[in-house]
C-alpha cells in the first residue's frame, strides 16, 4: 500500500517540481483562453452559415455541414499532427506565418491554437444549432412577416433567444477543451502533461503527473459550481 | 375600375405529395373584409401564408396593388421594388400563437420592426408604438414582458406590432382560436375597429358572428378549393352547396 502512495503521492517530488508543472499548466490555461474565444466566434460563424436559407446558399450550407461532420470525426490528435508535421514544409507560405513565433509563443502553441479552434468551432457550431432550433419557428415567421430579412430576424429575434439556451452544453464543451489542451504535448508544447511526463521519465515516479491532474481538477470543479446553482 | 387590393389567380400549393391548394381564385377590394371559413385541412391557413409568401405557391399569380409579387427582382417583370421583404412590409400578419418576442418588452416588440427595417429613430418608433398600444387598449402595459400578459392582451399587442409597419393588408390566421372564450371578445373588438377604419383584411376564423357582422365577403373552403363565396348573409344563412351546409351545421349547432 505504501508503494502505491510512493508512486503516486510522493510529496517531495511534487514539492520539488511544483513550479515547473504549474508553469506548464499556465500554458494549458493560456491555450484554453485563446482557443475558447476563437472557437466561440468561429462556431457562431459556422452555425449561421449553416442556417442561410434558399437555393442560392445551398452550396455554402453543404460545405459547412461537411466541415462540421469531418472535423468532429477525425481525432484531434491526428489533426494536430497533420498541422505541425506538414505546415512547416509548405514553402509557398511565408516563413513568418508557416513557423509562427508570435507574441512570445512558439510555433507548437500556434499550431495547437489552429487545430483546437478548427475542431472546437465545429462542436460549438452544433451547440449553437441546437439553441437556434430550439426557438419555435413562429418567432422567425413573425419576424419575417414584419418585413425583416433573414439576417435581421436572426440577429434581433432568434439568436438572442438561442444564446440563453446554450450555457450548459457550451460549458461542457469548454471543459472538454480545457482537457484537450493537453494534446498539445504531442506537438512539443511545454504544457503540464509534457513536463510531468519528463519528470516521470527522470524519477520513475508518477507524482508529477498526479499533480498536473490535480491542477485541472482544481479549476474544473469551480466551473461546475458556477453553472449549477 | 380601381385595381383590386389583392388578387389571387390559380393558386396551387403542395407539401410533398399532398396538394393543399388546388386552384384558388380570389379578389379582395381595398377596405374589404374577407372571412375564410372551412374545416381543418381545407388549406385556409396555407392560403393566408401564400399571400405574404411565407409559403410561396407552386403555381399561380398573386397581385398586390396590381404588382405581381410571385415574381421577384430579376424575373424580368421590372418590379425591382417588390421583393420579398418589401411585400411583407405591406402585408401584416397576426398568428394563432401570437409569436410575440419574449425577450423584448411590449414596447420593444411593437417598435422593433419600424426601427430595424424602416430605419426609424428610436424615439419616433417608440412614440408610434405607444400610440398603437393605446389604440388597442394597452397603453399601460408597454414596459411589461409578454409573459405577464393574458392571451387576449398578447394578441392585441401582436395586432399593434403588425400595424406598426403601416401595412395595406392585414392577415389574421385564426387569431382567437387559442384564446379562452372570455378573452376572445376583446380581440374581435379590436379587429372590428380596424375594419371600420377601412383596413383591408383577410380573416381565417371560426367566429361566425364576426364573419356575419364585420365581413364583407365570406369564403368557404374545403379540400383546397373555394366551395362557395358571397355576402355573409347569403353564405351563412342560405348556403347553396351541400358541403357548406354540412360544415355550418356542425359549427353552428354548438
Amino acid at each position: 500500500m505504501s508503494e502505491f502512495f510512493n508512486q503516486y503521492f510522493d510529496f517531495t517530488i511534487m514539492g520539488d517540481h511544483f513550479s515547473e508543472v504549474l508553469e506548464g499548466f499556465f500554458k494549458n490555461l493560456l491555450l484554453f483562453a485563446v482557443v475558447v474565444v476563437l472557437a466561440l466566434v468561429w462556431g457562431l460563424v459556422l452555425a449561421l452559415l449553416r442556417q442561410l436559407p434558399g437555393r442560392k446558399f445551398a452550396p455554402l450550407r453543404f460545405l459547412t455541414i461537411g466541415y462540421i461532420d469531418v472535423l468532429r470525426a477525425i481525432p484531434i490528435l491526428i489533426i494536430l499532427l497533420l498541422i505541425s508535421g506538414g505546415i512547416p514544409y509548405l514553402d509557398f507560405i511565408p516563413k513568418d506565418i508557416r513557423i509562427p513565433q508570435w507574441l512570445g509563443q512558439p510555433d507548437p502553441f500556434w499550431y495547437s491554437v489552429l487545430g483546437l479552434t478548427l475542431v472546437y468551432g465545429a462542436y460549438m457550431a452544433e451547440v449553437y444549432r441546437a439553441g437556434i432550433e430550439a426557438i419555435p419557428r413562429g418567432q422567425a415567421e413573425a419576424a419575417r412577416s414584419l418585413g425583416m430579412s433573414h439576417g435581421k430576424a436572426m440577429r434581433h429575434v432568434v439568436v438572442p433567444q438561442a444564446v440563453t439556451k446554450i450555457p450548459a452544453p457550451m460549458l461542457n464543451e469548454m471543459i472538454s477543451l480545457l482537457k484537450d489542451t493537453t494534446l498539445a504535448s504531442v506537438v512539443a508544447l511545454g504544457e503540464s502533461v509534457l513536463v510531468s511526463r519528463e519528470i516521470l521519465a527522470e524519477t520513475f515516479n508518477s507524482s508529477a503527473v498526479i499533480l498536473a491532474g490535480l491542477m485541472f481538477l482544481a479549476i474544473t470543479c469551480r466551473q461546475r459550481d458556477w453553472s449549477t446553482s | 375600375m380601381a385595381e383590386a387590393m389583392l388578387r389571387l389567380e390559380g393558386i396551387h400549393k403542395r407539401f410533398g405529395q399532398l396538394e393543399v391548394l388546388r386552384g384558388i381564385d380570389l379578389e379582395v377590394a381595398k377596405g374589404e373584409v374577407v372571412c375564410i371559413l372551412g374545416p381543418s385541412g381545407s388549406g385556409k391557413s396555407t392560403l393566408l401564408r401564400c399571400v405574404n409568401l411565407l409559403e410561396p405557391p407552386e403555381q399561380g399569380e398573386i397581385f398586390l396593388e396590381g404588382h405581381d409579387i410571385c415574381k421577384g427582382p430579376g424575373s424580368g417583370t421590372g418590379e425591382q421594388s417588390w421583393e420579398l421583404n418589401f411585400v411583407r412590409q405591406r402585408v401584416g400578419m397576426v398568428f394563432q400563437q401570437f409569436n410575440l418576442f419574449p425577450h423584448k418588452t411590449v414596447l420593444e416588440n411593437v417598435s422593433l420592426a419600424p426601427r430595424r427595417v424602416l430605419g426609424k429613430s428610436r424615439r419616433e418608433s417608440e412614440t408610434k408604438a405607444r400610440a398603437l398600444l393605446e389604440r388597442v387598449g394597452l397603453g399601460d402595459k408597454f414596459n411589461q414582458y409578454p409573459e405577464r400578459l393574458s392571451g387576449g392582451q398578447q394578441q392585441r399587442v401582436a395586432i399593434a406590432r403588425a400595424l406598426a409597419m403601416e401595412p395595406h393588408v392585414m392577415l389574421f390566421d385564426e387569431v382567437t382560436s387559442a384564446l379562452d372564450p372570455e378573452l376572445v371578445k376583446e380581440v374581435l373588438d379590436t379587429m372590428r375597429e380596424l375594419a371600420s377604419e377601412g383596413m383591408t383584411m383577410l380573416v381565417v376564423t371560426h367566429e361566425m358572428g364576426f364573419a356575419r357582422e364585420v365581413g364583407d365577403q365570406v369564403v368557404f373552403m374545403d379540400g383546397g378549393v373555394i366551395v362557395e363565396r358571397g355576402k355573409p348573409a347569403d353564405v351563412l344563412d342560405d348556403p347553396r352547396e351541400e358541403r357548406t351546409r354540412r360544415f355550418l351545421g356542425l359549427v353552428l349547432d354548438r
Side-chain angles (χ1 to χ4, degrees):
Chain A
M1 214 32 218
S2 68
E3 289 283 343
F4 179 87
F5 274 107
N6 285 339
Q7 175 58 216
Y8 290 112
F9 291 97
D10 185 330
F11 294 122
T12 315
I13 292 186
M14 284 194 193
D16 289 344
H17 297 280
F18 186 83
S19 49
E20 261 178 276
V21 177
L22 187 66
E23 223 180 287
F25 184 64
F26 284 152
K27 291 226 161 59
N28 291 103
L29 291 181
L30 184 64
L31 189 53
F32 171 78
V34 172
V35 174
V36 88
V37 169
L38 293 175
L40 278 170
V41 172
W42 178 226
L44 184 59
V45 169
L46 287 169
L48 292 175
L49 285 178
R50 205 186 180 293
Q51 292 292 123
L52 289 173
R55 223 172 328 167
K56 210 181 355 162
F57 288 115
L60 202 52
R61 279 203 303 276
F62 286 130
L63 274 172
T64 307
I65 294 173
Y67 171 95
I68 292 173
D69 285 349
V70 167
L71 265 90
R72 293 192 312 156
I74 299 182
I76 302 179
L77 209 47
I78 291 184
I79 291 182
L80 288 179
L81 289 172
L82 288 174
I83 291 175
S84 71
I87 290 190
Y89 304 108
L90 299 177
D91 288 328
F92 61 87
I93 305 176
K95 185 132 183 265
D96 292 333
I97 299 180
R98 225 191 320 147
I99 304 184
Q101 304 280 341
W102 304 334
L103 306 178
Q105 298 299 328
D107 43 304
F109 181 85
W110 297 108
Y111 295 148
S112 309
V113 167
L114 179 63
L116 287 170
T117 303
L118 289 177
V119 172
Y120 272 84
Y123 281 100
M124 289 180 174
E126 287 294 280
V127 175
Y128 284 121
R129 174 163 83 103
I132 289 172
E133 292 185 353
I135 305 301
R137 271 186 78 202
Q139 289 291 300
E141 287 184 350
R144 306 279 340 249
S145 299
L146 289 165
M148 284 194 231
S149 62
H150 170 80
K152 290 195 171 134
M154 291 298 275
R155 167 145 165 41
H156 296 289
V157 174
V158 178
V159 174
Q161 292 184 63
V163 296
T164 63
K165 304 223 176 283
I166 61 175
M170 210 39 118
L171 204 64
N172 275 342
E173 290 300 330
M174 285 161 63
I175 292 176
S176 236
L177 173 60
L178 180 60
K179 292 185 293 182
D180 279 344
T181 57
T182 56
L183 292 169
S185 63
V186 295
V187 298
L189 182 66
E191 49 72 68
S192 56
V193 168
L194 191 80
V195 168
S196 51
R197 281 184 78 180
E198 282 173 358
I199 298 169
L200 168 57
E202 281 168 22
T203 63
F204 300 97
N205 188 288
S206 304
S207 302
V209 184
I210 290 271
L211 186 59
L214 288 172
M215 290 180 185
F216 280 92
L217 191 61
I219 294 275
T220 311
C221 270
R222 215 167 296 145
Q223 281 180 0
R224 245 172 45 83
D225 277 339
W226 290 338
S227 81
T228 58
S229 54
Chain B
M1 183 176 115
E3 177 72 58
M5 172 69 88
L6 186 64
R7 196 165 81 241
L8 279 65
E9 285 178 1
I11 302 294
H12 286 263
K13 174 75 185 171
R14 56 163 19 107
F15 290 117
Q17 293 291 63
L18 183 65
E19 201 176 3
V20 171
L21 296 176
R22 300 160 185 260
I24 302 281
D25 298 300
L26 185 65
E27 215 172 282
V28 182
K30 182 163 180 219
E32 198 180 353
V33 175
V34 175
C35 293
I36 305 177
L37 318 173
S40 47
S42 56
K44 348 187 265 295
S45 281
T46 310
L47 183 62
L48 219 61
R49 291 158 66 89
C50 280
V51 175
N52 73 347
L53 298 173
L54 276 182
E55 311 280 5
E58 258 99 41
Q59 225 185 305
E61 303 303 324
I62 301 178
F63 295 90
L64 181 65
E65 297 175 58
H67 300 265
D68 188 334
I69 66 175
C70 284
K71 297 186 164 59
S75 67
T77 61
E79 298 288 7
Q80 287 304 309
S81 63
W82 290 82
E83 54 91 45
L84 191 57
N85 300 320
F86 187 74
V87 167
R88 291 183 179 149
Q89 291 172 36
R90 299 291 238 242
V91 179
M93 184 155 183
V94 186
F95 300 84
Q96 185 173 347
Q97 301 299 334
F98 329 140
N99 290 332
L100 290 183
F101 306 137
H103 60 304
K104 300 209 173 276
T105 63
V106 163
L107 186 69
E108 287 165 349
N109 260 272
V110 180
S111 61
L112 181 67
R115 271 183 81 189
R116 302 295 181 186
V117 179
L118 300 177
K120 296 199 173 161
S121 74
R122 182 165 161 170
R123 172 174 312 184
E124 199 188 336
S125 43
E126 286 190 353
T127 309
K128 176 89 183 291
R130 269 176 228 260
L132 282 169
L133 285 166
E134 296 273 356
R135 197 168 139 197
V136 299
L138 291 168
D140 57 333
K141 299 267 185 254
F142 55 84
N143 264 340
Q144 303 264 34
Y145 282 88
E147 60 173 0
R148 304 281 233 101
L149 270 52
S150 75
Q153 292 170 330
Q154 288 190 50
Q155 198 59 297
R156 284 185 280 150
V157 173
I159 293 176
R161 181 176 67 173
L163 290 174
M165 293 297 284
E166 295 175 19
H168 296 190
V169 180
M170 284 280 279
L171 307 176
F172 293 86
D173 192 357
E174 299 204 36
V175 302
T176 54
S177 297
L179 294 176
D180 292 336
E182 64 269 21
L183 300 173
V184 168
K185 181 178 188 310
E186 62 195 62
V187 175
L188 292 182
D189 285 343
T190 308
M191 291 165 67
R192 194 185 306 257
E193 236 180 86
L194 205 53
S196 70
E197 286 162 11
M199 176 63 79
T200 310
M201 294 163 56
L202 238 71
V203 183
V204 171
T205 187
H206 295 300
E207 297 288 335
M208 302 302 169
F210 180 86
R212 188 195 300 278
E213 289 158 29
V214 184
D216 297 308
Q217 191 187 160
V218 164
V219 163
F220 174 68
M221 276 183 73
D222 193 5
V225 293
I226 293 181
V227 171
E228 196 166 343
R229 74 182 88 194
K231 287 208 177 24
D234 294 337
V235 178
L236 295 174
D237 296 332
D238 192 17
R240 286 190 301 271
E241 300 289 330
E242 174 58 33
R243 277 196 276 182
T244 322
R245 283 180 191 279
R246 235 182 313 143
F247 174 76
L248 290 173
L250 289 168
V251 178
L252 291 172
D253 273 344
R254 266 198 289 158

